[in-house]
Each structure stands twice: as structure tokens, then as C-alpha cells.
Amino acid sequence: MSSAAGIVELVLRRYGLLDHPTVVGATSEGLSPAFVNSGELGGHAVTEHIQMYAASVTKQLVAALAARAAVSGQLDPECSVRHVLEELPAWFTPIRIRHLVHHVSGAPSQDRVIRAVGVTGENELSNQLVLEGLARLDAPERLPGVAFEYSNVGYVCLAEVVVRVTGADLDELAQRSVFAPLGLASSRLGGAASFQQAGLPSPPPTVGDGGWWTTAGDLLRWLQALNAGELGDEVTHLLETPGGLDDGTPLTYAWGVAVSGATVSEPSATVGAGPGGPRRLCGSPTVAPRWHC
């Protein structure tokens, strides 16, 4: 076992995380990725190759697809969301795409959308039902641009905006522009669950707030690519640029990630995943913000 894997395993054992299905990867400059695995999922041993639900880490990916569309001129962050998603109600008109990106849209909560469409929980929602639910509501949660409020509904809308402006299926777009170029061969956006873990609810089928099925190996490679700026200088700069409220108040949330200005002397990265998705995804690059889901 490498020294990196040994350290990771000691930490996991200390906090009892190896008592559950878990895979954690670690890497640092000059070292090959190392993984520590434990348990089974769906009758298969958990390894860095088993596909898991990435939950809200998906927001990083969807924001990257939106940033690529912005850099290419297909998407204007200042454009009204309703200009793209015309089926949304009139009260959505003041909400800009950048409001969705930075969680300041004031969009209705997921619970209100669930009640509006008459389903019992998020695992019965789809992107289309989210849009239909919003169309049935008569007001947002609050005005856009006045407060930060983490919004799964907002990122479902952002994913649908990307689909409309690019004219591409979201998974096909991700495969072509991100997964294939970066070598993320075990990743997909949306689709049926890879397995059903006994005693746990099915992951929500919506795409944008979640929906990324991937492996610990792919997630670690994704993080390395972000830290190295492999998505291109313009896209990387946009992804790492924090947003703000409409009155100019700065935020610490950029495009799908929280941003910290802290730097360390040596690039490093860790990623962990458990039965409900990744437990943690963060990096500590030398000259770049930290990345958090």
C-alpha cells in the first residue's frame, strides 16, 4: 500500500468510515492515484471502478458545460431564463442565467415544486416535472439577486438552459466535450441507477442538481483536470470567478463550486464516495481556488 493510501486508511478507520461501503482516492504531485476500498454495493465489491451517484458534485459538471456554452457565445449569463425556457411563468422573467449559476435566483423550493406536481418525493421528479411544477406556481421564493440560497431547482433549470442553447442532449454534450477529452470513460449524465442499495431510497432522476453516475477514479481525474485548467483558460477562469448579489455584495460561490483563496505549497486532491454518493470532493492546488461540491 502506498504511503498516501496508508494515511487515508488510517483516517477512515479513525472515524469508522470503513464500516460502510466506501472508496476514497488520493493523489499528490509526482504520485500515482491511490485508493482505499471497503464493502459491497449491489452485490459487487466497492472499488475505484464501481459507478456511484455523484449527487451535488454534478453541479460542478453542469456549470462547466454552461461555462463552455458561455465562452462559445451560445449562452449569455445576463439573459433571462424565461427567454430560453419559454414555458416558465412570467414571474421568472427577471431571473437571469447567472442567478441560477450562483444560487441567487429566488426560485421556489423543491418542496413547493413537489407539491405542485402532486408527487410524494424527489425520487419521483424529472426535469420535465420540475418545469411543469414551476409553471403551476404563482410566485418565486423571493426576488432574484437579493440572497444566496442553495437551489436544486435552479440547477435543474440551468441544465435545461444548456440543453436548449446547445441543441444537444446533456449526456451527449458531456460525453463529447468533457468525458471523452478527459478520459472519464466510466461517467454518464442521467439514466437508470447503476444499482439499488437495500434500505436506501433511489437517487432522484433529475439531472442538473444531480444525475452524474461516475467512479472514484473518474472523479479524481476530474478534480486533477480542474486544478490543471484542462478545460481551457477561459472556461477555467469563469468557473473560478465568484458571483455576487445584484447590489454588488460578493459571494464565495462561483460556477458550481465554493471558492477559497487559500493556497498550499504542494498540489493535492482527495475524493471519497459512499452509498449515497461522494462524501467529499475537494482540492488544494497551489495557484487556484479550492473546489467543493
Side-chain angles (χ1 to χ4, degrees):
M1 179 181 294
S2 71
S3 58
I7 293 171
V8 170
E9 182 168 352
L10 285 174
V11 172
L12 294 177
R13 290 194 184 283
R14 169 67 178 81
Y15 292 99
L17 294 178
L18 289 181
D19 297 335
H20 307 280
T22 302
V23 54
V24 176
T27 189
S28 187
E29 189 174 26
L31 295 177
S32 299
F35 296 91
V36 176
N37 314 313
S38 174
E40 292 187 353
L41 284 175
H44 301 281
V46 172
T47 71
E48 65 269 27
H49 305 297
I50 192 171
Q51 235 183 21
M52 295 186 181
Y53 181 68
S56 283
V57 178
T58 307
K59 293 180 176 69
Q60 297 180 8
L61 175 60
V62 170
L65 295 175
R68 288 178 61 90
V71 168
S72 70
Q74 295 173 297
L75 179 151
D76 178 4
E78 293 297 332
C79 179
S80 167
V81 175
R82 192 166 180 253
H83 181 74
V84 181
L85 304 178
E86 297 179 353
E87 65 269 43
L88 292 177
W91 54 259
F92 230 95
T93 302
I95 301 176
R96 309 297 171 184
I97 294 172
R98 63 174 171 84
H99 289 140
L100 300 178
V101 170
H102 302 302
H103 293 295
V104 295
S105 68
S109 67
Q110 188 177 69
D111 286 344
R112 286 181 64 192
V113 172
I114 287 171
R115 290 195 297 271
V117 295
V119 298
T120 59
E122 64 178 4
N123 63 336
E124 295 181 30
L125 283 178
S126 65
N127 284 30
Q128 183 58 40
L129 278 178
V130 169
L131 296 181
E132 290 178 10
L134 290 171
R136 296 178 187 180
L137 296 172
D138 58 7
E141 208 72 21
R142 58 180 50 82
L143 293 175
V146 301
F148 177 91
E149 186 171 11
Y150 194 87
S151 175
N152 284 333
V153 168
Y155 262 74
V156 169
C157 290
L158 181 62
E160 289 302 306
V161 165
V162 172
V163 169
R164 301 286 178 90
V165 300
T166 62
D169 173 82
L170 204 63
D171 182 51
E172 291 176 3
L173 182 65
Q175 295 288 348
R176 181 174 71 248
S177 61
V178 176
F179 296 158
L182 298 183
L184 307 184
S186 299
S187 289
R188 60 179 168 88
L189 260 179
S194 297
F195 57 85
Q196 179 59 50
Q197 181 73 353
L200 293 176
S202 300
T206 47
V207 178
D209 56 336
W212 186 4
W213 287 89
T214 189
T215 65
D218 273 11
L219 278 176
L220 194 57
R221 171 70 188 109
W222 164 252
L223 185 57
Q224 290 174 307
L226 293 176
N227 287 341
E230 293 182 41
L231 298 182
D233 291 344
E234 290 182 276
V235 171
T236 299
H237 175 72
L238 197 56
L239 288 175
E240 296 178 351
T241 300
L245 302 182
D246 285 1
D247 65 2
T249 302
L251 299 172
T252 58
Y253 197 88
W255 287 58
V257 290
V259 174
S260 167
T263 60
V264 295
S265 59
E266 182 180 10
S268 62
T270 60
V271 58
R279 298 183 181 279
R280 184 179 180 212
L281 177 64
C282 67
S284 303
T286 302
V287 191
R290 293 176 181 266
W291 289 76
H292 304 275
C293 64

